[in-house]
Amino acid sequence: MACSLSGDGLRERTARWREAVAGATRAAVPEGLRLTLPVGRDTRVAGLAAAEQECCPFFDFRLHLDGPYLHLEVRAPADGGALLTDLFGSAD
C-alpha cells in the first residue's frame, strides 16, 4: 500500500491536510479515525478527500455534517494504517 504522490507533491498534500484538520478532535473508529471540525471547513476537506482518492484510493472518506460540526471519518485497510496515522495523526 503506497501513495502515488512523491517528493514535493506528497509534502504539499500532507501540509494541506494538516492545516485543514488542525485542532480537530480525534477519535478511533473501526479501521480508522474520526475527526470533528468546524463545519466551515467542509469545502476544503471535501476537495482534499476527492484529490486524495486519485493518489491513495485505498482510503475511505466519509463526511457527516451535523449542525456546526463536520465529522470526517477516514478508514484504511490494516496495511495502510501507518499512512493514515502519518497523514491525520492518531486518536486523542
Side-chain angles (χ1 to χ4, degrees), residues 24-77:
T25 300
R26 292 168 170 79
V29 296
E31 301 176 342
L33 186 64
R34 179 178 178 161
L35 298 97
T36 300
L37 307 154
V39 74
R41 297 189 200 177
D42 58 342
T43 303
R44 181 171 29 164
V45 168
L48 282 168
E52 201 67 33
Q53 287 292 283
E54 294 179 22
C55 62
C56 298
F58 54 86
F59 280 135
D60 174 333
F61 293 95
R62 299 173 192 199
L63 284 78
H64 177 108
L65 300 173
D66 180 20
Y69 302 105
L70 165 64
H71 304 287
L72 169 65
E73 291 186 6
V74 186
R75 291 178 170 80

